Amino acid sequence: MNNPPNFPNQLTRILDTNTPRKKGLVNFYMMVVEVSKMLDVSEDARGEVFGNMLEISKKLAKVADAVDEYEKVEKRELKRLLKEVPKHGNPDLILAENSSKLEAAVEEALSQGKSALDVAVKVLEPLLGIKLNTFGKHGAAVVKALRNNVPVPLQPKAQFLIQMIETEADSDWLKSLKKYRDDQHYKNLGITPLRANGVGQSESPRMPGGQPVAQFLNVVYVNLFTFIMDFLAGAMYIKLYNGLGLMAEGQDLTKKFRLALENPPKSE
């Protein structure tokens, strides 16, 4: 199918960063633009790395949209429930209601989050010739592939990425993302219902572990973003020309990386 012609005066934006949770995605773009020029790989491989970054950013944007949607719908549903309770004429009545809309937003966030991890590992193919289809169970397959397939001269530079994956493997956010994402394939997640009573009190849904759903989703998103940013930086670092490294600035959604000399001359 032929691509449609551009609209006159069309301005194309690479990334959608119009919401607070997506503003950090521009750091993915800036890192790859700056760093890819210094990778010791072919032009075709640089193009694949850039394409991988775009795919990752799309997945993370979908997670951000799902988290935003959850918060918006939760507020709307609680407000509706609070208006409905007085209609029953019983001040002691507590209305509890499960919401498929809320569960759908949670499931979307979990699904896209796991998919973002699976897409991220694909950057290893243009960089190192390592082809993986998924992040796997806590990244064990990724670590094994790095240990067995990175050329000996580059193995010291691969240690940052290996150690970062191993350190994060037992983190609560990653285990929860994997568990709940797998659970939703064969059962409901067990989120508590919305609750409201006749005196104007309400209770937001909680995850099975007791954490408010909105809080849980935000923790997952922030950690997912930071982890994938580190993963991408660590993978590209392995193939940077000798003498160049990456320096991290900021944290959480403001995190970004800049090129730096690994062994700058000492000032006298």
Side-chain angles (χ1 to χ4, degrees):
M1 180 182 294
N2 292 328
N3 291 326
N6 290 336
F7 289 103
N9 303 318
Q10 174 178 306
L11 175 65
T12 300
R13 293 186 177 184
I14 299 296
L15 299 172
D16 168 17
T17 58
N18 291 323
T19 66
R21 283 193 175 91
K22 290 189 284 188
K23 286 187 180 299
L25 294 178
V26 73
N27 293 335
F28 274 88
Y29 174 76
M30 295 308 298
M31 175 171 65
V32 175
V33 167
E34 181 177 357
V35 176
S36 62
K37 300 173 185 177
M38 299 299 173
L39 293 174
D40 187 12
V41 297
S42 68
E43 284 297 324
D44 286 345
R46 287 192 184 97
E48 288 184 44
V49 171
F50 187 81
N52 176 264
M53 182 279 301
L54 289 179
E55 291 303 308
I56 294 170
S57 68
K58 289 178 184 178
K59 292 294 184 182
L60 287 173
K62 290 177 182 178
V63 180
D65 283 338
V67 179
D68 289 341
E69 178 67 10
Y70 177 87
E71 291 185 350
K72 181 175 67 177
V73 174
E74 183 188 274
K75 289 178 182 177
R76 187 176 68 223
E77 294 290 275
L78 280 173
K79 184 177 180 180
R80 176 185 58 78
L81 207 61
L82 282 167
K83 288 182 177 180
E84 184 177 340
V85 180
K87 297 177 183 178
H88 294 270
N90 181 356
D92 297 324
L93 179 68
I94 298 174
L95 277 184
E97 181 178 288
N98 291 305
S99 172
S100 59
K101 295 176 184 177
L102 292 180
E103 289 224 4
V106 176
E107 290 174 357
E108 175 69 3
L110 295 171
S111 179
Q112 295 297 338
K114 177 58 169 61
S115 185
L117 288 171
D118 294 340
V119 172
V121 301
K122 296 184 186 300
V123 77
L124 297 177
E125 185 171 5
L127 290 173
L128 298 161
I130 296 174
K131 187 173 183 178
L132 295 168
N133 293 320
T134 70
F135 184 74
K137 186 175 182 180
H138 310 307
V142 183
V143 169
K144 182 178 180 180
L146 288 168
R147 292 192 190 282
N148 294 338
N149 295 284
V150 174
V152 172
L154 296 177
Q155 285 179 2
K157 296 180 75 174
Q159 290 309 302
F160 168 80
L161 184 57
I162 290 172
Q163 291 172 5
M164 189 266 290
I165 296 171
E166 289 182 329
T167 299
E168 205 72 13
D170 291 327
S171 61
D172 290 338
W173 76 268
L174 187 55
K175 289 192 291 187
S176 296
L177 171 62
K178 178 73 166 56
K179 177 186 184 306
Y180 291 131
R181 189 265 182 182
D182 290 347
D183 286 352
Q184 71 187 38
H185 286 299
Y186 61 90
K187 66 178 182 180
N188 291 316
L189 294 175
I191 295 172
T192 63
L194 298 152
R195 288 190 176 90
N197 64 20
V199 295
Q201 297 173 323
S202 64
E203 183 179 287
S204 299
R206 294 177 178 269
M207 297 298 292
Q211 190 175 21
V213 175
Q215 183 185 79
F216 165 78
L217 291 178
N218 190 63
V219 167
V220 167
Y221 179 72
V222 171
N223 280 278
L224 179 68
F225 176 93
T226 306
F227 178 78
I228 291 182
M229 176 69 94
D230 288 344
F231 185 96
L232 192 60
M236 290 197 294
Y237 170 68
I238 299 171
K239 293 295 287 185
L240 282 180
Y241 287 114
N242 288 335
L244 290 174
L246 289 167
M247 178 177 63
E249 299 175 352
Q251 60 184 356
D252 296 340
L253 301 184
T254 67
K255 193 166 192 177
K256 56 186 176 181
F257 286 87
R258 291 288 180 262
L259 282 168
L261 294 175
E262 283 194 291
N263 299 298
K266 296 182 180 179
S267 59
E268 297 183 357

